[in-house]
Amino acid sequence: MTSRRTNRGLELERALGEVLAHVRGTTPLPCRIVDDPAPEHILALRKRMKLSRQKFADSFGLDVRAVQEWEQGRRVPDRAARVLLTVIDREPEAVVRALSG
């Protein structure tokens, strides 16, 4: 066994120090909260992009039935879908590039 400290080990020590500081209440950890988009917002996003429901779903790897239910308020997007919708809203080209690769 070696007593030499590796970069990975030092990085792990720093990360565990952050966790410990958070548990003790001395350091807040960053977090992101993605709100549930209103059905009107999802519909407006799709209309702004001038895409049919089917084209919108196909372009971004979504289920067309899910998009329909989100727009009609019968279903709420899960966390991953909310994040994806946020990225589509802000940077749709980035999503298209990522999915086409």
Side-chain angles (χ1 to χ4, degrees):
M1 188 156 124
T2 181
S3 61
R4 196 177 121 236
R5 295 168 76 184
T6 64
N7 286 338
R8 185 168 307 270
L10 293 170
E11 186 179 324
L12 185 58
E13 284 180 25
R14 281 191 296 275
L16 289 173
E18 277 186 46
V19 171
L20 186 58
H22 174 70
V23 169
R24 290 180 176 157
T26 57
T27 303
L29 295 179
C31 70
R32 301 242 188 266
I33 298 173
V34 180
D35 293 329
D36 293 339
E40 303 81 29
H41 178 78
I42 297 169
L43 178 62
L45 171 61
R46 181 175 64 79
K47 296 281 186 182
R48 188 179 78 226
M49 299 180 83
K50 298 180 178 146
L51 294 173
S52 69
R53 218 177 257 144
Q54 185 69 55
K55 283 282 195 186
F56 183 82
D58 291 346
S59 296
F60 300 110
L62 298 166
D63 179 70
V64 69
R65 181 69 173 202
V67 173
Q68 178 182 4
E69 292 186 1
W70 297 338
E71 289 179 352
Q72 294 175 352
R74 290 195 305 250
R75 199 165 126 193
V76 175
D78 65 16
R79 186 180 319 168
R82 290 192 311 261
V83 169
L84 180 59
L85 288 167
T86 300
V87 177
I88 291 169
D89 189 26
R90 295 178 186 171
E91 295 287 337
E93 302 84 16
V95 178
V96 171
R97 278 194 317 272
L99 295 176
S100 68

Short mmCIF file of all heavy atoms in Angstrom, two decimals, residues 34-35 45 81-91:
data_model
loop_
_atom_site.label_atom_id
_atom_site.label_comp_id
_atom_site.label_asym_id
_atom_site.label_seq_id
_atom_site.Cartn_x
_atom_site.Cartn_y
_atom_site.Cartn_z
N VAL A 34 -36.40 23.51 -11.56
CA VAL A 34 -37.08 23.72 -12.83
C VAL A 34 -38.57 23.56 -12.56
O VAL A 34 -39.03 22.48 -12.22
CB VAL A 34 -36.60 22.70 -13.90
CG1 VAL A 34 -37.31 22.93 -15.21
CG2 VAL A 34 -35.09 22.80 -14.07
N ASP A 35 -39.30 24.67 -12.69
CA ASP A 35 -40.72 24.65 -12.41
C ASP A 35 -41.50 23.86 -13.45
O ASP A 35 -41.07 23.70 -14.59
CB ASP A 35 -41.27 26.08 -12.37
CG ASP A 35 -40.73 26.86 -11.19
OD1 ASP A 35 -40.45 26.24 -10.15
OD2 ASP A 35 -40.58 28.08 -11.31
N LEU A 45 -44.63 27.43 -26.87
CA LEU A 45 -43.29 27.08 -27.32
C LEU A 45 -43.36 26.38 -28.68
O LEU A 45 -42.66 26.75 -29.62
CB LEU A 45 -42.61 26.17 -26.29
CG LEU A 45 -41.29 25.51 -26.69
CD1 LEU A 45 -40.23 26.56 -26.98
CD2 LEU A 45 -40.83 24.57 -25.58
N ALA A 81 -38.05 15.76 -18.58
CA ALA A 81 -38.76 16.43 -19.67
C ALA A 81 -38.83 17.94 -19.42
O ALA A 81 -38.71 18.73 -20.36
CB ALA A 81 -40.16 15.85 -19.82
N ARG A 82 -38.99 18.36 -18.16
CA ARG A 82 -39.01 19.79 -17.85
C ARG A 82 -37.68 20.44 -18.19
O ARG A 82 -37.63 21.54 -18.74
CB ARG A 82 -39.37 20.02 -16.38
CG ARG A 82 -40.79 19.68 -16.05
CD ARG A 82 -41.21 20.17 -14.68
NE ARG A 82 -40.32 19.83 -13.60
CZ ARG A 82 -40.51 18.81 -12.75
NH1 ARG A 82 -41.54 18.02 -12.90
NH2 ARG A 82 -39.65 18.59 -11.79
N VAL A 83 -36.59 19.74 -17.86
CA VAL A 83 -35.27 20.27 -18.19
C VAL A 83 -35.12 20.36 -19.70
O VAL A 83 -34.66 21.38 -20.24
CB VAL A 83 -34.15 19.39 -17.56
CG1 VAL A 83 -32.79 19.78 -18.11
CG2 VAL A 83 -34.18 19.51 -16.05
N LEU A 84 -35.51 19.31 -20.41
CA LEU A 84 -35.42 19.32 -21.87
C LEU A 84 -36.26 20.45 -22.46
O LEU A 84 -35.81 21.17 -23.35
CB LEU A 84 -35.85 17.97 -22.45
CG LEU A 84 -35.79 17.85 -23.96
CD1 LEU A 84 -34.38 18.11 -24.48
CD2 LEU A 84 -36.30 16.49 -24.40
N LEU A 85 -37.46 20.65 -21.97
CA LEU A 85 -38.32 21.73 -22.47
C LEU A 85 -37.68 23.10 -22.21
O LEU A 85 -37.78 24.00 -23.05
CB LEU A 85 -39.71 21.66 -21.84
CG LEU A 85 -40.59 20.50 -22.33
CD1 LEU A 85 -41.81 20.34 -21.44
CD2 LEU A 85 -41.00 20.71 -23.78
N THR A 86 -37.02 23.25 -21.07
CA THR A 86 -36.34 24.50 -20.77
C THR A 86 -35.22 24.75 -21.77
O THR A 86 -35.06 25.87 -22.28
CB THR A 86 -35.77 24.48 -19.33
OG1 THR A 86 -36.86 24.30 -18.41
CG2 THR A 86 -35.04 25.76 -19.00
N VAL A 87 -34.44 23.72 -22.08
CA VAL A 87 -33.35 23.87 -23.04
C VAL A 87 -33.91 24.13 -24.43
O VAL A 87 -33.40 24.98 -25.17
CB VAL A 87 -32.42 22.63 -23.04
CG1 VAL A 87 -31.34 22.76 -24.10
CG2 VAL A 87 -31.80 22.43 -21.66
N ILE A 88 -34.98 23.43 -24.79
CA ILE A 88 -35.62 23.67 -26.09
C ILE A 88 -36.08 25.12 -26.19
O ILE A 88 -35.92 25.78 -27.22
CB ILE A 88 -36.81 22.71 -26.31
CG1 ILE A 88 -36.31 21.27 -26.49
CG2 ILE A 88 -37.65 23.14 -27.52
CD1 ILE A 88 -37.42 20.22 -26.44
N ASP A 89 -36.63 25.63 -25.11
CA ASP A 89 -37.12 27.01 -25.08
C ASP A 89 -35.98 28.01 -25.28
O ASP A 89 -36.12 28.99 -26.00
CB ASP A 89 -37.83 27.27 -23.76
CG ASP A 89 -38.57 28.59 -23.72
OD1 ASP A 89 -38.96 29.10 -24.79
OD2 ASP A 89 -38.78 29.12 -22.61
N ARG A 90 -34.83 27.75 -24.67
CA ARG A 90 -33.72 28.70 -24.70
C ARG A 90 -32.73 28.45 -25.84
O ARG A 90 -32.19 29.40 -26.40
CB ARG A 90 -32.98 28.66 -23.37
CG ARG A 90 -33.85 29.14 -22.23
CD ARG A 90 -33.15 29.07 -20.92
NE ARG A 90 -34.07 29.40 -19.85
CZ ARG A 90 -33.81 29.27 -18.58
NH1 ARG A 90 -32.64 28.83 -18.19
NH2 ARG A 90 -34.72 29.59 -17.67
N GLU A 91 -32.45 27.19 -26.14
CA GLU A 91 -31.43 26.84 -27.14
C GLU A 91 -31.87 25.63 -27.97
O GLU A 91 -31.24 24.56 -27.90
CB GLU A 91 -30.10 26.51 -26.45
CG GLU A 91 -29.46 27.67 -25.73
CD GLU A 91 -28.86 28.69 -26.66
OE1 GLU A 91 -28.54 28.36 -27.81
OE2 GLU A 91 -28.72 29.85 -26.23
#
